[in-house]
Amino acid sequence: QVQLVESGGGLVQPGGSLRLSCTASGFTFSTYGMSWYRQAPGKEREFVAAVTSTGYSTNYADSVKGRFTISRDNAKNTVYLQMNSLKPEDTDVYYCNARYLRWYKIEYDYWGQGTQVTVSS
C-alpha cells in the first residue's frame, strides 16, 4: 500500500538544473520526515537532504549545500529536490525516503525505487 514514486531524473549538462519529485501514498505524509539519498554503483548510499514533517527545518550534506534545495507540499503529498549548478559528481541514483520517528527511534522507514540523474557533457 505504501508507495513513494519518484520522477524528474534524466540527463543534464554540468552547470544545469533538475528538479526531482517524489509523490507518496499509503501513509500520513504530513507526519513523516522526508529525505533524499543518492547512490553510485558500488558505493554506499549517501545522505543528500532532509526536511521535517511540517517543512520548518531542512538539512543538507556538505557536498550539496548552496546548490540543492529540498521542499515539500503536504497538500500534494510530494517532496521535491531542486538541483542547481549540477556537477558530474552528482551523477547517481537518487532515492526518496519517508521516515516516522517515535521517541527518537525509527518506527517506519520507506524508500522509493530510485531515479537516475546523469550529469555529463
PDB file of all heavy atoms in Angstrom, residues 41-80:
ATOM      1  N   PRO A  41      27.071   3.351  -8.404  1.00  0.00           N
ATOM      2  CA  PRO A  41      27.368   1.919  -8.481  1.00  0.00           C
ATOM      3  C   PRO A  41      28.571   1.538  -7.632  1.00  0.00           C
ATOM      4  O   PRO A  41      29.628   2.169  -7.708  1.00  0.00           O
ATOM      5  CB  PRO A  41      27.649   1.702  -9.968  1.00  0.00           C
ATOM      6  CG  PRO A  41      26.886   2.798 -10.647  1.00  0.00           C
ATOM      7  CD  PRO A  41      26.986   3.973  -9.716  1.00  0.00           C
ATOM      8  N   GLY A  42      28.411   0.517  -6.811  1.00  0.00           N
ATOM      9  CA  GLY A  42      29.488   0.039  -5.969  1.00  0.00           C
ATOM     10  C   GLY A  42      29.777   0.885  -4.750  1.00  0.00           C
ATOM     11  O   GLY A  42      30.725   0.586  -4.015  1.00  0.00           O
ATOM     12  N   LYS A  43      28.982   1.919  -4.519  1.00  0.00           N
ATOM     13  CA  LYS A  43      29.201   2.803  -3.384  1.00  0.00           C
ATOM     14  C   LYS A  43      28.053   2.702  -2.391  1.00  0.00           C
ATOM     15  O   LYS A  43      26.978   2.200  -2.703  1.00  0.00           O
ATOM     16  CB  LYS A  43      29.347   4.258  -3.851  1.00  0.00           C
ATOM     17  CG  LYS A  43      30.430   4.476  -4.884  1.00  0.00           C
ATOM     18  CD  LYS A  43      31.805   4.165  -4.335  1.00  0.00           C
ATOM     19  CE  LYS A  43      32.876   4.444  -5.376  1.00  0.00           C
ATOM     20  NZ  LYS A  43      34.229   4.125  -4.865  1.00  0.00           N
ATOM     21  N   GLU A  44      28.302   3.189  -1.180  1.00  0.00           N
ATOM     22  CA  GLU A  44      27.262   3.216  -0.163  1.00  0.00           C
ATOM     23  C   GLU A  44      26.275   4.332  -0.441  1.00  0.00           C
ATOM     24  O   GLU A  44      26.613   5.347  -1.051  1.00  0.00           O
ATOM     25  CB  GLU A  44      27.873   3.398   1.222  1.00  0.00           C
ATOM     26  CG  GLU A  44      28.740   2.241   1.673  1.00  0.00           C
ATOM     27  CD  GLU A  44      29.255   2.417   3.084  1.00  0.00           C
ATOM     28  OE1 GLU A  44      28.953   3.460   3.711  1.00  0.00           O
ATOM     29  OE2 GLU A  44      29.949   1.514   3.574  1.00  0.00           O
ATOM     30  N   ARG A  45      25.060   4.137   0.026  1.00  0.00           N
ATOM     31  CA  ARG A  45      24.048   5.161  -0.122  1.00  0.00           C
ATOM     32  C   ARG A  45      24.402   6.372   0.740  1.00  0.00           C
ATOM     33  O   ARG A  45      24.775   6.237   1.905  1.00  0.00           O
ATOM     34  CB  ARG A  45      22.675   4.614   0.257  1.00  0.00           C
ATOM     35  CG  ARG A  45      21.524   5.515  -0.146  1.00  0.00           C
ATOM     36  CD  ARG A  45      20.189   4.774  -0.084  1.00  0.00           C
ATOM     37  NE  ARG A  45      20.126   3.706  -1.075  1.00  0.00           N
ATOM     38  CZ  ARG A  45      19.037   2.989  -1.316  1.00  0.00           C
ATOM     39  NH1 ARG A  45      17.915   3.229  -0.641  1.00  0.00           N
ATOM     40  NH2 ARG A  45      19.057   2.034  -2.220  1.00  0.00           N
ATOM     41  N   GLU A  46      24.259   7.559   0.162  1.00  0.00           N
ATOM     42  CA  GLU A  46      24.712   8.798   0.772  1.00  0.00           C
ATOM     43  C   GLU A  46      23.543   9.736   1.026  1.00  0.00           C
ATOM     44  O   GLU A  46      22.703   9.953   0.151  1.00  0.00           O
ATOM     45  CB  GLU A  46      25.733   9.470  -0.149  1.00  0.00           C
ATOM     46  CG  GLU A  46      26.191  10.852   0.286  1.00  0.00           C
ATOM     47  CD  GLU A  46      26.992  11.558  -0.790  1.00  0.00           C
ATOM     48  OE1 GLU A  46      26.930  11.149  -1.967  1.00  0.00           O
ATOM     49  OE2 GLU A  46      27.699  12.533  -0.450  1.00  0.00           O
ATOM     50  N   PHE A  47      23.507  10.317   2.205  1.00  0.00           N
ATOM     51  CA  PHE A  47      22.505  11.316   2.530  1.00  0.00           C
ATOM     52  C   PHE A  47      22.709  12.576   1.705  1.00  0.00           C
ATOM     53  O   PHE A  47      23.836  13.038   1.528  1.00  0.00           O
ATOM     54  CB  PHE A  47      22.578  11.659   4.021  1.00  0.00           C
ATOM     55  CG  PHE A  47      21.743  12.844   4.402  1.00  0.00           C
ATOM     56  CD1 PHE A  47      20.372  12.727   4.564  1.00  0.00           C
ATOM     57  CD2 PHE A  47      22.330  14.078   4.604  1.00  0.00           C
ATOM     58  CE1 PHE A  47      19.598  13.817   4.912  1.00  0.00           C
ATOM     59  CE2 PHE A  47      21.575  15.176   4.956  1.00  0.00           C
ATOM     60  CZ  PHE A  47      20.202  15.035   5.110  1.00  0.00           C
ATOM     61  N   VAL A  48      21.607  13.147   1.226  1.00  0.00           N
ATOM     62  CA  VAL A  48      21.662  14.360   0.427  1.00  0.00           C
ATOM     63  C   VAL A  48      20.971  15.522   1.131  1.00  0.00           C
ATOM     64  O   VAL A  48      21.563  16.577   1.349  1.00  0.00           O
ATOM     65  CB  VAL A  48      21.042  14.157  -0.966  1.00  0.00           C
ATOM     66  CG1 VAL A  48      21.023  15.467  -1.749  1.00  0.00           C
ATOM     67  CG2 VAL A  48      21.804  13.083  -1.730  1.00  0.00           C
ATOM     68  N   ALA A  49      19.704  15.343   1.485  1.00  0.00           N
ATOM     69  CA  ALA A  49      18.927  16.427   2.075  1.00  0.00           C
ATOM     70  C   ALA A  49      17.729  15.861   2.815  1.00  0.00           C
ATOM     71  O   ALA A  49      17.244  14.774   2.499  1.00  0.00           O
ATOM     72  CB  ALA A  49      18.459  17.409   0.995  1.00  0.00           C
ATOM     73  N   ALA A  50      17.248  16.608   3.800  1.00  0.00           N
ATOM     74  CA  ALA A  50      16.083  16.193   4.572  1.00  0.00           C
ATOM     75  C   ALA A  50      15.246  17.401   4.944  1.00  0.00           C
ATOM     76  O   ALA A  50      15.759  18.516   5.078  1.00  0.00           O
ATOM     77  CB  ALA A  50      16.508  15.447   5.834  1.00  0.00           C
ATOM     78  N   VAL A  51      13.970  17.165   5.128  1.00  0.00           N
ATOM     79  CA  VAL A  51      13.040  18.193   5.572  1.00  0.00           C
ATOM     80  C   VAL A  51      12.106  17.575   6.604  1.00  0.00           C
ATOM     81  O   VAL A  51      11.654  16.443   6.447  1.00  0.00           O
ATOM     82  CB  VAL A  51      12.266  18.810   4.379  1.00  0.00           C
ATOM     83  CG1 VAL A  51      11.463  17.751   3.632  1.00  0.00           C
ATOM     84  CG2 VAL A  51      11.370  19.948   4.843  1.00  0.00           C
ATOM     85  N   THR A  52      11.830  18.319   7.663  1.00  0.00           N
ATOM     86  CA  THR A  52      10.948  17.834   8.708  1.00  0.00           C
ATOM     87  C   THR A  52       9.514  17.753   8.214  1.00  0.00           C
ATOM     88  O   THR A  52       9.166  18.255   7.148  1.00  0.00           O
ATOM     89  CB  THR A  52      11.034  18.731   9.950  1.00  0.00           C
ATOM     90  OG1 THR A  52      10.777  20.091   9.573  1.00  0.00           O
ATOM     91  CG2 THR A  52      12.411  18.645  10.587  1.00  0.00           C
ATOM     92  N   SER A  53       8.664  17.131   9.031  1.00  0.00           N
ATOM     93  CA  SER A  53       7.303  16.834   8.594  1.00  0.00           C
ATOM     94  C   SER A  53       6.503  18.065   8.210  1.00  0.00           C
ATOM     95  O   SER A  53       5.702  18.019   7.271  1.00  0.00           O
ATOM     96  CB  SER A  53       6.563  16.042   9.679  1.00  0.00           C
ATOM     97  OG  SER A  53       6.495  16.784  10.883  1.00  0.00           O
ATOM     98  N   THR A  54       6.718  19.159   8.922  1.00  0.00           N
ATOM     99  CA  THR A  54       5.999  20.394   8.624  1.00  0.00           C
ATOM    100  C   THR A  54       6.736  21.300   7.652  1.00  0.00           C
ATOM    101  O   THR A  54       6.177  22.298   7.205  1.00  0.00           O
ATOM    102  CB  THR A  54       5.718  21.184   9.904  1.00  0.00           C
ATOM    103  OG1 THR A  54       6.958  21.562  10.512  1.00  0.00           O
ATOM    104  CG2 THR A  54       4.906  20.349  10.888  1.00  0.00           C
ATOM    105  N   GLY A  55       7.972  20.964   7.355  1.00  0.00           N
ATOM    106  CA  GLY A  55       8.762  21.772   6.453  1.00  0.00           C
ATOM    107  C   GLY A  55       9.474  22.945   7.099  1.00  0.00           C
ATOM    108  O   GLY A  55      10.057  23.772   6.386  1.00  0.00           O
ATOM    109  N   TYR A  56       9.475  23.012   8.425  1.00  0.00           N
ATOM    110  CA  TYR A  56      10.060  24.170   9.100  1.00  0.00           C
ATOM    111  C   TYR A  56      11.578  24.114   9.174  1.00  0.00           C
ATOM    112  O   TYR A  56      12.221  25.145   9.421  1.00  0.00           O
ATOM    113  CB  TYR A  56       9.490  24.331  10.507  1.00  0.00           C
ATOM    114  CG  TYR A  56      10.028  23.345  11.521  1.00  0.00           C
ATOM    115  CD1 TYR A  56      11.136  23.658  12.301  1.00  0.00           C
ATOM    116  CD2 TYR A  56       9.415  22.110  11.702  1.00  0.00           C
ATOM    117  CE1 TYR A  56      11.631  22.757  13.229  1.00  0.00           C
ATOM    118  CE2 TYR A  56       9.896  21.208  12.623  1.00  0.00           C
ATOM    119  CZ  TYR A  56      11.003  21.532  13.383  1.00  0.00           C
ATOM    120  OH  TYR A  56      11.490  20.628  14.303  1.00  0.00           O
ATOM    121  N   SER A  57      12.160  22.938   8.964  1.00  0.00           N
ATOM    122  CA  SER A  57      13.601  22.797   9.083  1.00  0.00           C
ATOM    123  C   SER A  57      14.123  21.880   7.979  1.00  0.00           C
ATOM    124  O   SER A  57      13.466  20.901   7.616  1.00  0.00           O
ATOM    125  CB  SER A  57      13.974  22.243  10.452  1.00  0.00           C
ATOM    126  OG  SER A  57      15.372  22.149  10.601  1.00  0.00           O
ATOM    127  N   THR A  58      15.306  22.209   7.479  1.00  0.00           N
ATOM    128  CA  THR A  58      15.954  21.392   6.462  1.00  0.00           C
ATOM    129  C   THR A  58      17.395  21.130   6.840  1.00  0.00           C
ATOM    130  O   THR A  58      17.991  21.841   7.655  1.00  0.00           O
ATOM    131  CB  THR A  58      15.911  22.067   5.080  1.00  0.00           C
ATOM    132  OG1 THR A  58      16.547  23.349   5.160  1.00  0.00           O
ATOM    133  CG2 THR A  58      14.475  22.247   4.611  1.00  0.00           C
ATOM    134  N   ASN A  59      17.968  20.104   6.226  1.00  0.00           N
ATOM    135  CA  ASN A  59      19.359  19.752   6.457  1.00  0.00           C
ATOM    136  C   ASN A  59      19.940  19.236   5.150  1.00  0.00           C
ATOM    137  O   ASN A  59      19.249  18.558   4.382  1.00  0.00           O
ATOM    138  CB  ASN A  59      19.469  18.701   7.558  1.00  0.00           C
ATOM    139  CG  ASN A  59      20.896  18.485   8.009  1.00  0.00           C
ATOM    140  OD1 ASN A  59      21.708  19.391   7.991  1.00  0.00           O
ATOM    141  ND2 ASN A  59      21.205  17.258   8.417  1.00  0.00           N
ATOM    142  N   TYR A  60      21.219  19.539   4.917  1.00  0.00           N
ATOM    143  CA  TYR A  60      21.867  19.175   3.673  1.00  0.00           C
ATOM    144  C   TYR A  60      23.245  18.594   3.915  1.00  0.00           C
ATOM    145  O   TYR A  60      23.948  18.974   4.856  1.00  0.00           O
ATOM    146  CB  TYR A  60      22.020  20.392   2.767  1.00  0.00           C
ATOM    147  CG  TYR A  60      20.720  21.024   2.356  1.00  0.00           C
ATOM    148  CD1 TYR A  60      20.174  22.070   3.096  1.00  0.00           C
ATOM    149  CD2 TYR A  60      20.040  20.586   1.230  1.00  0.00           C
ATOM    150  CE1 TYR A  60      18.975  22.653   2.727  1.00  0.00           C
ATOM    151  CE2 TYR A  60      18.837  21.164   0.852  1.00  0.00           C
ATOM    152  CZ  TYR A  60      18.318  22.197   1.603  1.00  0.00           C
ATOM    153  OH  TYR A  60      17.124  22.768   1.229  1.00  0.00           O
ATOM    154  N   ALA A  61      23.630  17.692   3.041  1.00  0.00           N
ATOM    155  CA  ALA A  61      25.008  17.240   3.023  1.00  0.00           C
ATOM    156  C   ALA A  61      25.908  18.388   2.589  1.00  0.00           C
ATOM    157  O   ALA A  61      25.509  19.241   1.789  1.00  0.00           O
ATOM    158  CB  ALA A  61      25.167  16.062   2.070  1.00  0.00           C
ATOM    159  N   ASP A  62      27.128  18.411   3.109  1.00  0.00           N
ATOM    160  CA  ASP A  62      28.054  19.481   2.768  1.00  0.00           C
ATOM    161  C   ASP A  62      28.295  19.576   1.261  1.00  0.00           C
ATOM    162  O   ASP A  62      28.485  20.671   0.723  1.00  0.00           O
ATOM    163  CB  ASP A  62      29.385  19.278   3.483  1.00  0.00           C
ATOM    164  CG  ASP A  62      29.296  19.545   4.972  1.00  0.00           C
ATOM    165  OD1 ASP A  62      28.343  20.205   5.412  1.00  0.00           O
ATOM    166  OD2 ASP A  62      30.199  19.093   5.701  1.00  0.00           O
ATOM    167  N   SER A  63      28.272  18.458   0.590  1.00  0.00           N
ATOM    168  CA  SER A  63      28.578  18.423  -0.828  1.00  0.00           C
ATOM    169  C   SER A  63      27.536  19.118  -1.698  1.00  0.00           C
ATOM    170  O   SER A  63      27.816  19.457  -2.849  1.00  0.00           O
ATOM    171  CB  SER A  63      28.748  16.975  -1.296  1.00  0.00           C
ATOM    172  OG  SER A  63      27.572  16.225  -1.059  1.00  0.00           O
ATOM    173  N   VAL A  64      26.338  19.342  -1.161  1.00  0.00           N
ATOM    174  CA  VAL A  64      25.270  19.944  -1.958  1.00  0.00           C
ATOM    175  C   VAL A  64      24.774  21.265  -1.401  1.00  0.00           C
ATOM    176  O   VAL A  64      23.918  21.905  -2.031  1.00  0.00           O
ATOM    177  CB  VAL A  64      24.078  18.977  -2.127  1.00  0.00           C
ATOM    178  CG1 VAL A  64      24.551  17.640  -2.682  1.00  0.00           C
ATOM    179  CG2 VAL A  64      23.337  18.780  -0.809  1.00  0.00           C
ATOM    180  N   LYS A  65      25.282  21.691  -0.270  1.00  0.00           N
ATOM    181  CA  LYS A  65      24.837  22.953   0.319  1.00  0.00           C
ATOM    182  C   LYS A  65      25.057  24.120  -0.635  1.00  0.00           C
ATOM    183  O   LYS A  65      26.110  24.245  -1.249  1.00  0.00           O
ATOM    184  CB  LYS A  65      25.579  23.215   1.630  1.00  0.00           C
ATOM    185  CG  LYS A  65      25.101  22.374   2.790  1.00  0.00           C
ATOM    186  CD  LYS A  65      25.857  22.707   4.068  1.00  0.00           C
ATOM    187  CE  LYS A  65      25.356  21.868   5.227  1.00  0.00           C
ATOM    188  NZ  LYS A  65      26.120  22.125   6.468  1.00  0.00           N
ATOM    189  N   GLY A  66      24.045  24.950  -0.748  1.00  0.00           N
ATOM    190  CA  GLY A  66      24.108  26.087  -1.643  1.00  0.00           C
ATOM    191  C   GLY A  66      23.712  25.779  -3.064  1.00  0.00           C
ATOM    192  O   GLY A  66      23.532  26.707  -3.865  1.00  0.00           O
ATOM    193  N   ARG A  67      23.576  24.507  -3.400  1.00  0.00           N
ATOM    194  CA  ARG A  67      23.211  24.113  -4.755  1.00  0.00           C
ATOM    195  C   ARG A  67      21.856  23.407  -4.820  1.00  0.00           C
ATOM    196  O   ARG A  67      21.117  23.581  -5.789  1.00  0.00           O
ATOM    197  CB  ARG A  67      24.273  23.197  -5.356  1.00  0.00           C
ATOM    198  CG  ARG A  67      25.649  23.834  -5.452  1.00  0.00           C
ATOM    199  CD  ARG A  67      26.607  22.963  -6.259  1.00  0.00           C
ATOM    200  NE  ARG A  67      26.819  21.660  -5.624  1.00  0.00           N
ATOM    201  CZ  ARG A  67      26.528  20.492  -6.195  1.00  0.00           C
ATOM    202  NH1 ARG A  67      26.018  20.454  -7.416  1.00  0.00           N
ATOM    203  NH2 ARG A  67      26.777  19.362  -5.548  1.00  0.00           N
ATOM    204  N   PHE A  68      21.551  22.612  -3.807  1.00  0.00           N
ATOM    205  CA  PHE A  68      20.311  21.840  -3.784  1.00  0.00           C
ATOM    206  C   PHE A  68      19.352  22.432  -2.760  1.00  0.00           C
ATOM    207  O   PHE A  68      19.774  22.958  -1.721  1.00  0.00           O
ATOM    208  CB  PHE A  68      20.572  20.383  -3.403  1.00  0.00           C
ATOM    209  CG  PHE A  68      21.304  19.570  -4.436  1.00  0.00           C
ATOM    210  CD1 PHE A  68      21.887  20.152  -5.548  1.00  0.00           C
ATOM    211  CD2 PHE A  68      21.409  18.197  -4.284  1.00  0.00           C
ATOM    212  CE1 PHE A  68      22.567  19.397  -6.492  1.00  0.00           C
ATOM    213  CE2 PHE A  68      22.083  17.427  -5.217  1.00  0.00           C
ATOM    214  CZ  PHE A  68      22.662  18.025  -6.321  1.00  0.00           C
ATOM    215  N   THR A  69      18.071  22.314  -3.034  1.00  0.00           N
ATOM    216  CA  THR A  69      17.039  22.760  -2.108  1.00  0.00           C
ATOM    217  C   THR A  69      15.956  21.698  -2.005  1.00  0.00           C
ATOM    218  O   THR A  69      15.387  21.292  -3.017  1.00  0.00           O
ATOM    219  CB  THR A  69      16.407  24.082  -2.563  1.00  0.00           C
ATOM    220  OG1 THR A  69      17.423  25.086  -2.691  1.00  0.00           O
ATOM    221  CG2 THR A  69      15.376  24.555  -1.536  1.00  0.00           C
ATOM    222  N   ILE A  70      15.679  21.267  -0.783  1.00  0.00           N
ATOM    223  CA  ILE A  70      14.593  20.331  -0.555  1.00  0.00           C
ATOM    224  C   ILE A  70      13.371  21.099  -0.060  1.00  0.00           C
ATOM    225  O   ILE A  70      13.489  22.058   0.700  1.00  0.00           O
ATOM    226  CB  ILE A  70      14.991  19.230   0.450  1.00  0.00           C
ATOM    227  CG1 ILE A  70      13.916  18.143   0.529  1.00  0.00           C
ATOM    228  CG2 ILE A  70      15.289  19.811   1.829  1.00  0.00           C
ATOM    229  CD1 ILE A  70      14.339  16.916   1.321  1.00  0.00           C
ATOM    230  N   SER A  71      12.214  20.692  -0.510  1.00  0.00           N
ATOM    231  CA  SER A  71      10.972  21.315  -0.078  1.00  0.00           C
ATOM    232  C   SER A  71       9.858  20.279  -0.139  1.00  0.00           C
ATOM    233  O   SER A  71      10.017  19.206  -0.726  1.00  0.00           O
ATOM    234  CB  SER A  71      10.630  22.534  -0.940  1.00  0.00           C
ATOM    235  OG  SER A  71      10.441  22.157  -2.297  1.00  0.00           O
ATOM    236  N   ARG A  72       8.740  20.602   0.478  1.00  0.00           N
ATOM    237  CA  ARG A  72       7.618  19.675   0.448  1.00  0.00           C
ATOM    238  C   ARG A  72       6.306  20.434   0.357  1.00  0.00           C
ATOM    239  O   ARG A  72       6.195  21.584   0.794  1.00  0.00           O
ATOM    240  CB  ARG A  72       7.621  18.770   1.688  1.00  0.00           C
ATOM    241  CG  ARG A  72       7.353  19.486   3.006  1.00  0.00           C
ATOM    242  CD  ARG A  72       7.637  18.567   4.192  1.00  0.00           C
ATOM    243  NE  ARG A  72       6.741  17.429   4.223  1.00  0.00           N
ATOM    244  CZ  ARG A  72       7.000  16.290   4.865  1.00  0.00           C
ATOM    245  NH1 ARG A  72       8.149  16.142   5.520  1.00  0.00           N
ATOM    246  NH2 ARG A  72       6.110  15.303   4.844  1.00  0.00           N
ATOM    247  N   ASP A  73       5.334  19.775  -0.206  1.00  0.00           N
ATOM    248  CA  ASP A  73       3.983  20.297  -0.297  1.00  0.00           C
ATOM    249  C   ASP A  73       3.075  19.224   0.285  1.00  0.00           C
ATOM    250  O   ASP A  73       2.737  18.247  -0.388  1.00  0.00           O
ATOM    251  CB  ASP A  73       3.619  20.615  -1.741  1.00  0.00           C
ATOM    252  CG  ASP A  73       2.280  21.314  -1.871  1.00  0.00           C
ATOM    253  OD1 ASP A  73       1.452  21.233  -0.938  1.00  0.00           O
ATOM    254  OD2 ASP A  73       2.049  21.957  -2.912  1.00  0.00           O
ATOM    255  N   ASN A  74       2.704  19.398   1.541  1.00  0.00           N
ATOM    256  CA  ASN A  74       1.908  18.373   2.208  1.00  0.00           C
ATOM    257  C   ASN A  74       0.515  18.217   1.603  1.00  0.00           C
ATOM    258  O   ASN A  74      -0.075  17.147   1.684  1.00  0.00           O
ATOM    259  CB  ASN A  74       1.810  18.672   3.702  1.00  0.00           C
ATOM    260  CG  ASN A  74       3.092  18.358   4.438  1.00  0.00           C
ATOM    261  OD1 ASN A  74       3.988  17.708   3.901  1.00  0.00           O
ATOM    262  ND2 ASN A  74       3.193  18.820   5.682  1.00  0.00           N
ATOM    263  N   ALA A  75       0.009  19.270   1.006  1.00  0.00           N
ATOM    264  CA  ALA A  75      -1.291  19.184   0.349  1.00  0.00           C
ATOM    265  C   ALA A  75      -1.241  18.277  -0.871  1.00  0.00           C
ATOM    266  O   ALA A  75      -2.255  17.715  -1.273  1.00  0.00           O
ATOM    267  CB  ALA A  75      -1.786  20.573  -0.045  1.00  0.00           C
ATOM    268  N   LYS A  76      -0.049  18.135  -1.466  1.00  0.00           N
ATOM    269  CA  LYS A  76       0.129  17.287  -2.633  1.00  0.00           C
ATOM    270  C   LYS A  76       0.852  15.989  -2.318  1.00  0.00           C
ATOM    271  O   LYS A  76       1.126  15.201  -3.230  1.00  0.00           O
ATOM    272  CB  LYS A  76       0.901  18.038  -3.716  1.00  0.00           C
ATOM    273  CG  LYS A  76       0.176  19.257  -4.260  1.00  0.00           C
ATOM    274  CD  LYS A  76       1.000  19.937  -5.336  1.00  0.00           C
ATOM    275  CE  LYS A  76       0.276  21.134  -5.911  1.00  0.00           C
ATOM    276  NZ  LYS A  76       1.080  21.817  -6.961  1.00  0.00           N
ATOM    277  N   ASN A  77       1.179  15.760  -1.052  1.00  0.00           N
ATOM    278  CA  ASN A  77       1.925  14.568  -0.636  1.00  0.00           C
ATOM    279  C   ASN A  77       3.206  14.399  -1.450  1.00  0.00           C
ATOM    280  O   ASN A  77       3.566  13.288  -1.856  1.00  0.00           O
ATOM    281  CB  ASN A  77       1.060  13.310  -0.769  1.00  0.00           C
ATOM    282  CG  ASN A  77       0.027  13.189   0.329  1.00  0.00           C
ATOM    283  OD1 ASN A  77      -0.124  14.076   1.168  1.00  0.00           O
ATOM    284  ND2 ASN A  77      -0.695  12.074   0.335  1.00  0.00           N
ATOM    285  N   THR A  78       3.898  15.491  -1.661  1.00  0.00           N
ATOM    286  CA  THR A  78       5.056  15.484  -2.537  1.00  0.00           C
ATOM    287  C   THR A  78       6.237  16.205  -1.904  1.00  0.00           C
ATOM    288  O   THR A  78       6.065  17.263  -1.294  1.00  0.00           O
ATOM    289  CB  THR A  78       4.722  16.135  -3.885  1.00  0.00           C
ATOM    290  OG1 THR A  78       3.648  15.413  -4.505  1.00  0.00           O
ATOM    291  CG2 THR A  78       5.921  16.111  -4.819  1.00  0.00           C
ATOM    292  N   VAL A  79       7.407  15.621  -2.074  1.00  0.00           N
ATOM    293  CA  VAL A  79       8.655  16.260  -1.688  1.00  0.00           C
ATOM    294  C   VAL A  79       9.480  16.488  -2.949  1.00  0.00           C
ATOM    295  O   VAL A  79       9.440  15.678  -3.879  1.00  0.00           O
ATOM    296  CB  VAL A  79       9.432  15.420  -0.646  1.00  0.00           C
ATOM    297  CG1 VAL A  79       9.836  14.066  -1.219  1.00  0.00           C
ATOM    298  CG2 VAL A  79      10.644  16.182  -0.128  1.00  0.00           C
ATOM    299  N   TYR A  80      10.210  17.591  -2.980  1.00  0.00           N
ATOM    300  CA  TYR A  80      10.981  17.979  -4.146  1.00  0.00           C
ATOM    301  C   TYR A  80      12.451  18.127  -3.793  1.00  0.00           C
ATOM    302  O   TYR A  80      12.818  18.421  -2.660  1.00  0.00           O
ATOM    303  CB  TYR A  80      10.492  19.315  -4.711  1.00  0.00           C
ATOM    304  CG  TYR A  80       9.022  19.361  -5.020  1.00  0.00           C
ATOM    305  CD1 TYR A  80       8.117  19.855  -4.087  1.00  0.00           C
ATOM    306  CD2 TYR A  80       8.534  18.923  -6.244  1.00  0.00           C
ATOM    307  CE1 TYR A  80       6.769  19.908  -4.366  1.00  0.00           C
ATOM    308  CE2 TYR A  80       7.191  18.973  -6.533  1.00  0.00           C
ATOM    309  CZ  TYR A  80       6.307  19.466  -5.591  1.00  0.00           C
ATOM    310  OH  TYR A  80       4.962  19.513  -5.876  1.00  0.00           O
TER     311      TYR A  80
END
